[in-house]
């Protein structure tokens, strides 16, 4: 099952895997590519995202997760795996 980037936030906390799936789906739509082609261990820089896309992604994630996310935090957790673990509270 893939995450819906526009889907509503539930009451239950999201797992790192759910967050990772959401990010992969979001990036696949932004990059117009297949989600299977996105490597979760690759850095965000490798996707050549501009700052507006990063801010848009974190804003949409805030809505989905129901919590505030500082857009600059992706610099501290530069891969999808690391960022997902951080947001899930695993790091």
């Amino acid at each position: 099952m893939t995450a819906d980037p526009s889907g509503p936030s539930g009451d239950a906390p999201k797992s790192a895997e759910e967050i990772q799936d959401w990010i992969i789906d979001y990036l696949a739509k932004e990059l117009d590519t297949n989600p299977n082609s996105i490597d979760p261990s690759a850095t965000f820089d490798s996707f050549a995202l501009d700052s507006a896309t990063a801010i848009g992604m974190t804003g949409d994630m805030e809505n989905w997760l129901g919590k505030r996310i500082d857009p600059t935090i992706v610099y501290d957790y530069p891969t999808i795996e690391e960022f997902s673990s951080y947001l899930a509270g695993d790091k």
Side-chain angles (χ1 to χ4, degrees):
M1 180 176 174
T2 49
D4 178 4
S6 63
S9 175
D11 292 334
K14 305 294 187 222
S15 70
E17 183 178 350
E18 289 172 305
I19 295 168
Q20 181 173 294
D21 287 346
W22 187 97
I23 294 170
I24 288 171
D25 285 348
Y26 187 94
L27 292 176
K29 288 178 183 175
E30 286 295 315
L31 301 171
D32 194 27
T33 191
N34 185 316
N36 294 329
S37 69
I38 296 180
D39 179 1
S41 65
T43 63
F44 285 107
D45 287 343
S46 70
F47 301 111
L49 301 175
D50 60 22
S51 59
T53 301
I55 291 169
M57 181 180 78
T58 55
D60 288 348
M61 285 188 89
E62 286 179 344
N63 293 334
W64 182 64
L65 293 171
K67 66 180 179 181
R68 171 85 172 91
I69 301 169
D70 180 347
T72 63
I73 199 75
V74 297
Y75 298 111
D76 293 331
Y77 302 94
T79 69
I80 295 170
E81 289 173 332
E82 292 172 328
F83 191 47
S84 300
S85 291
Y86 165 76
L87 291 174
D90 296 346
K91 285 193 174 192

